[in-house]
Amino acid sequence: MEERIIIAGFGGQGVMAMGQLLTYAGMIEGKHVSWLPSYGPEMRGGTANCSVIVSSEPVGSPVVVNSTTAIVMNKPSLDKFEPSVNKGGRLFINSSLIEQKSKRDDIEVYYISANEIADELGNMRVANMVMLGAYLEATKTVDVESVLEGFTKVFGENRAHLIPINKEALERGAQAVREQMKANV
Amino acid sequence: MAKVLMKGNEAIGAAAIKAGCKYFFGYPITPQSELPEYMARELPKVGGVFLQAESEIAAINMVYGAAGAGVRVMTSSSSPGISLKQEGISYIAGAELPCVIVNIMRGGPGLGSIQPSQTDYFQATRGGGNGDYRLVVLAPANVQELVDLIIEGFDIADQYRNPVMILGDGMIGQMMEPVEFREPKRRDLPEKDWATTGTQGKRKPNIINSLYLQPEELEEHNKRLQAKYKAIMENEVKVESYNIEDADVVIAAYGTTSRIARTAISQLEEEGYKVGLIRPITLWPYPYDEFEKINPNCKGILTVEMNTGQMLDDVKIAVKGKHPVYFYGRTGGMVPTPNEIIEKVKEIYGGEK
């Protein structure tokens, strides 16, 4: 098993944190993991992305060129990373901000209205967790419990009070995927 | 202790503190600034000193002073900043002082870029400063190894009274991987009876110096240095090899590039190619002897670097003309992909497996 994931969006959408949570969860489960951020002369509102690898084997190159999964939070990220998803791979699109449909018919595509769902939960900042929940439901790469266990490691003990809302966001993302799967049958 | 997920740059700081380093003098530069940031936060907690100097030149001379006082001390920078430190590094090597210097390389020449590169291999292994001196140069390929080499690096520095350089790149500095801070095997180290710690009126003053105006004295000093370097060459070579006795093509790569080579090798093996890997962990002293073990019928050695061919020179010295030597490199902060390496290996195979 080797998941090679690209997570991309605007700076501030929590794409780096999403990647770190997934990486931490993989480590907790004893898998081989790496997390590599894009870095550069970035500007506010610019794009950010990270490469995450969760594998049963030691990680070779930490750079994800061709992904098994791409999670895109905004339109520029869709344009940039849609073409490099491996055939048979998965693409998670934040349909709250991206109206466009995927051009690919050789991959599984999930449309998650992450911002709307986060808004319903009363905290726009958990949109990333909605996407992560959707990803975990579709791929089962790691358990949701492991992500929650890693939560305070990434955000600090003083953020522990935010676990319930984040847990709910993960669950709502998972629910969105289940509904889509049912609709596609 | 349980594993934690850490960014390379922060792991360097944590490892240094674990090794008993309490003093850090530096100046920020991408892509290593998380390290001084970490030290600024953590060193005061252990009774240490973090000082952001007014320049790289000031920082390395503060390291010179602290090392002369016999304490464990570190500085870090990235390529152009390390260039600024060369004068001080030469002085520290000349005065035979132990310290650890971290270079998280970025693209060059000049200010270059802030993306990962390996363009300072010559500078690190051939001496960027003046004089016949050597640094022990350690090149980790993952964050765990980075931690282990930092801790051992302080011991090597103390054992030989010599500066040790950790040569990483922007990728290993920025990436996060699980690390464990194991209790290291400590070396039996000599007393630092040469340090300038104050005579208390009980002994003659120790003098830290790299100036010898009498040619006879300076030649003696150089002979002593060379004898030390010879001992390091005999005792401190580190290398990891994979399948080199049986391979048709052997890749030579270090640091993060070796990981990309490893991914390429796995994919080539699935297609039936036999490809080995030599990964030097010490770039000086260089593991020349390891190349003697390569399959005599090997079609060629492929050196892969994020530069235009620097370690390539050492590979040629090691191979002694026995095998053809090829090169593949990317520059400017571009990172080679496994597919590019695979194509190059297939080219060396010349169409026959």
Side-chain angles (χ1 to χ4, degrees):
Chain A
M1 184 278 283
E2 182 163 281
E3 267 286 282
R4 304 180 67 82
I5 308 136
I6 283 277
I7 306 175
F10 289 126
Q13 282 185 305
V15 298
M16 297 299 183
M18 214 194 307
Q20 286 184 14
L21 281 170
L22 182 56
T23 312
Y24 234 116
M27 183 184 83
I28 287 167
E29 294 185 5
K31 299 180 165 86
H32 296 277
V33 294
S34 69
W35 174 90
L36 179 71
S38 65
Y39 71 94
E42 311 289 5
M43 58 179 183
R44 193 185 303 183
T47 57
N49 72 75
C50 62
S51 296
V52 173
I53 298 175
V54 181
S55 177
S56 51
E57 301 295 320
V59 178
S61 170
V63 187
V64 173
V65 184
N66 296 104
S67 60
T68 54
T69 294
I71 302 173
V72 294
M73 297 295 285
N74 66 0
K75 173 80 166 49
S77 301
L78 174 68
D79 296 340
K80 189 168 177 191
F81 295 108
E82 182 187 24
S84 53
V85 178
N86 288 343
K87 197 178 166 198
R90 295 181 178 87
L91 175 62
F92 294 81
I93 295 176
N94 177 11
S95 57
S96 300
L97 297 183
I98 309 169
E99 285 178 17
Q100 190 181 314
K101 297 291 174 197
S102 171
K103 300 184 196 82
R104 300 279 300 268
D105 56 8
D106 58 346
I107 57 175
E108 284 174 36
V109 184
Y110 298 92
Y111 298 94
I112 312 294
S113 52
N115 291 48
E116 273 102 341
I117 294 171
D119 199 24
E120 282 169 30
L121 293 171
N123 188 342
M124 280 299 284
R125 290 168 69 183
V126 297
N128 61 341
M129 298 298 275
V130 175
M131 289 302 271
L132 185 58
Y135 166 78
L136 294 177
E137 178 67 18
T139 64
K140 311 284 184 197
T141 302
V142 295
D143 288 338
V144 172
E145 281 67 34
S146 308
V147 171
L148 294 170
E149 199 184 324
F151 189 86
T152 49
K153 303 280 198 320
V154 173
F155 296 106
E157 290 294 339
N158 56 352
R159 294 282 187 278
H161 65 282
L162 293 171
I163 289 178
I165 189 172
N166 279 277
K167 191 177 174 181
E168 212 178 331
L170 288 167
E171 176 46 39
R172 287 291 301 274
Q175 197 186 325
V177 161
R178 285 195 293 270
E179 280 164 13
Q180 245 178 77
M181 282 173 162
K182 213 184 282 174
N184 291 343
V185 169
Chain B
M1 196 182 147
K3 281 188 177 175
V4 288
L5 193 65
M6 273 187 114
K7 215 176 197 194
N9 285 333
E10 295 190 335
I12 295 171
I17 291 173
K18 177 97 183 160
C21 168
K22 287 196 174 169
Y23 303 92
F24 183 98
F25 307 99
Y27 190 85
I29 181 171
T30 308
Q32 62 79 57
S33 292
E34 293 87 354
L35 172 52
E37 188 187 348
Y38 181 91
M39 291 310 229
R41 191 176 67 231
E42 298 298 326
L43 274 177
K45 294 183 192 168
V46 295
V49 172
F50 165 87
L51 201 154
Q52 181 174 318
E54 68 270 33
S55 71
E56 284 85 351
I57 298 167
I60 193 68
N61 282 293
M62 290 173 186
V63 171
Y64 186 12
V71 296
R72 288 199 156 175
V73 56
M74 183 161 88
T75 187
S76 71
S77 192
S78 178
S79 307
I82 293 290
S83 294
L84 285 164
K85 290 185 165 132
Q86 290 304 324
E87 178 191 65
I89 292 172
S90 172
Y91 277 45
I92 292 169
E96 291 193 82
L97 295 178
C99 66
V100 173
I101 301 156
V102 178
N103 182 2
I104 299 296
M105 292 181 280
R106 54 188 254 181
L111 276 175
S113 78
I114 60 175
Q115 299 300 324
S117 93
Q118 297 180 317
T119 45
D120 306 342
Y121 183 93
F122 282 154
Q123 187 193 54
T125 62
R126 268 51 179 174
N130 62 297
D132 272 324
Y133 76 93
R134 293 290 191 175
L135 303 177
V136 176
V137 184
L138 307 174
N142 57 60
V143 179
Q144 181 65 59
E145 191 175 58
L146 176 61
V147 162
D148 296 342
L149 288 177
I150 290 275
I151 294 172
E152 193 179 0
F154 276 101
D155 273 10
I156 295 173
D158 280 349
Q159 182 172 340
Y160 297 97
R161 289 183 60 184
N162 206 70
V164 168
M165 177 170 277
I166 303 289
L167 198 63
D169 60 57
M171 195 151 45
I172 199 166
Q174 293 294 323
M175 72 184 293
M176 287 179 110
E177 277 187 316
V179 286
E180 200 175 352
F181 290 87
R182 296 179 276 241
E183 206 43 56
K185 251 187 272 163
R186 283 285 156 85
R187 298 183 183 206
D188 200 8
L189 297 171
E191 279 293 308
K192 293 183 174 177
D193 54 9
W194 44 262
T196 49
T197 51
T199 63
Q200 321 280 328
K202 289 173 188 159
R203 61 165 167 82
K204 281 189 180 170
N206 286 333
I207 297 168
I208 304 292
N209 180 34
S210 71
L211 178 68
Y212 296 83
L213 287 176
Q214 296 301 326
E216 294 83 1
E217 273 184 45
L218 182 54
E219 188 169 51
E220 276 312 306
H221 177 53
N222 269 292
K223 280 181 183 165
R224 206 169 54 243
L225 287 178
Q226 291 304 317
K228 176 171 87 175
Y229 299 149
K230 190 162 173 279
I232 297 174
M233 282 191 268
E234 280 163 9
N235 301 324
E236 301 298 340
V237 170
K238 288 184 203 295
V239 59
E240 184 186 72
S241 292
Y242 172 75
N243 199 25
I244 56 174
E245 285 94 348
D246 192 37
D248 292 326
V249 172
V250 170
I251 297 175
Y254 69 94
T256 50
T257 310
S258 68
R259 301 173 66 127
I260 300 162
R262 201 68 186 75
T263 299
I265 290 169
S266 300
Q267 291 179 27
L268 283 161
E269 280 174 343
E270 281 172 25
E271 295 178 44
Y273 292 90
K274 287 195 282 185
V275 185
L277 177 71
I278 291 185
R279 176 174 80 86
I281 299 168
T282 49
L283 302 180
W284 193 89
Y286 196 78
Y288 294 112
D289 293 348
E290 194 68 11
F291 290 76
E292 304 283 343
K293 300 178 193 161
I294 292 173
N295 169 17
N297 301 317
C298 173
K299 294 173 198 279
I301 317 295
L302 173 62
T303 308
V304 183
E305 298 177 74
M306 288 193 281
N307 58 41
T308 55
Q310 298 194 12
M311 185 178 81
L312 179 62
D313 284 8
D314 276 325
V315 172
K316 284 180 179 166
I317 291 169
V319 165
K320 297 174 187 156
K322 282 187 223 162
H323 307 282
V325 175
Y326 302 89
F327 178 74
Y328 184 76
R330 296 295 301 266
T331 60
M334 298 300 293
V335 177
T337 65
N339 279 339
E340 289 164 15
I341 299 172
I342 289 169
E343 285 314 305
K344 191 73 194 176
V345 169
K346 287 182 177 173
E347 217 178 285
I348 296 167
Y349 258 85
E352 312 156 28
K353 264 183 214 171

